[in-house]
Amino acid sequence: MRANLKNRLEQQQQNIDLSPLLDVVFILLIFFIVTTVFVKETGVEVDKPQAISTAKLERNIIMLAITNQGEVIYDGSNIGVAGVRNTVAHLLKNRALPVVIQADKLVPTELLVQVLDESKLAGAASVSIATIP
């Protein structure tokens, strides 16, 4: 009887409590989720022009796209040229971010300049055009 009781006590002591390990894993998961920077993509694929003087920008940016049909896209929705100023001004309310415009090769210069102007009028300090190297 005593040997049987002793065996049961030894089996109970050999189990490892995993709850502290799970707590640490969840804390690390929350830390990485909170500190991750999410870049909002435009949601459309444009054929960007090529440039020799291409430089990498920050990861926190406002990304606008202009398709070859003349649509101005932000975060997957068509905002048009008229919506650029309000959208950029709203996004710049909390902190200054650079604006990057992904324009298709076939976009007329007039449309590109209109989007550039609207971004500047919204308060963007830096407006760039995305290219491929």
Side-chain angles (χ1 to χ4, degrees), residues 22-36:
L22 290 174
D23 290 342
V24 170
V25 169
F26 282 129
I27 289 172
L28 286 173
L29 179 68
I30 290 169
F31 172 77
F32 286 118
I33 289 173
V34 169
T35 59
T36 301

Side-chain angles (χ1 to χ4, degrees), residues 6-48:
K6 189 175 180 182
N7 285 340
R8 274 196 245 155
L9 288 174
E10 286 178 6
Q11 286 177 353
Q12 287 177 351
Q13 291 175 353
Q14 290 176 357
N15 294 338
I16 298 174
D17 186 21
L18 294 179
S19 54
L21 177 66
L22 290 174
D23 290 342
V24 170
V25 169
F26 282 129
I27 289 172
L28 286 173
L29 179 68
I30 290 169
F31 172 77
F32 286 118
I33 289 173
V34 169
T35 59
T36 301
V37 176
F38 295 103
V39 176
K40 286 193 174 182
E41 292 292 329
T42 56
V44 293
E45 191 66 35
V46 295
D47 188 17
K48 295 178 273 192

Side-chain angles (χ1 to χ4, degrees), residues 13-133:
Q13 291 175 353
Q14 290 176 357
N15 294 338
I16 298 174
D17 186 21
L18 294 179
S19 54
L21 177 66
L22 290 174
D23 290 342
V24 170
V25 169
F26 282 129
I27 289 172
L28 286 173
L29 179 68
I30 290 169
F31 172 77
F32 286 118
I33 289 173
V34 169
T35 59
T36 301
V37 176
F38 295 103
V39 176
K40 286 193 174 182
E41 292 292 329
T42 56
V44 293
E45 191 66 35
V46 295
D47 188 17
K48 295 178 273 192
Q50 193 169 9
I52 296 172
S53 63
T54 301
K56 292 208 179 242
L57 291 177
E58 304 174 24
R59 293 190 58 86
N60 292 334
I61 57 174
I62 299 170
M63 183 87 68
L64 301 173
I66 306 173
T67 64
N68 57 0
Q69 289 90 19
E71 300 173 322
V72 181
I73 309 290
Y74 173 74
D75 197 22
S77 60
N78 186 359
I79 59 172
V81 176
V84 171
R85 188 184 306 186
N86 290 335
T87 303
V88 172
H90 177 71
L91 294 169
L92 292 174
K93 197 180 293 185
N94 295 332
R95 67 178 207 192
L97 297 170
V99 176
V100 176
I101 300 171
Q102 289 182 331
D104 196 90
K105 287 182 192 178
L106 304 176
V107 170
T109 308
E110 181 181 7
L111 180 60
L112 178 60
V113 170
Q114 286 175 347
V115 174
L116 271 162
D117 284 343
E118 291 294 322
S119 298
K120 285 284 194 177
L121 290 172
S126 170
V127 181
S128 304
I129 300 171
T131 59
I132 55 175

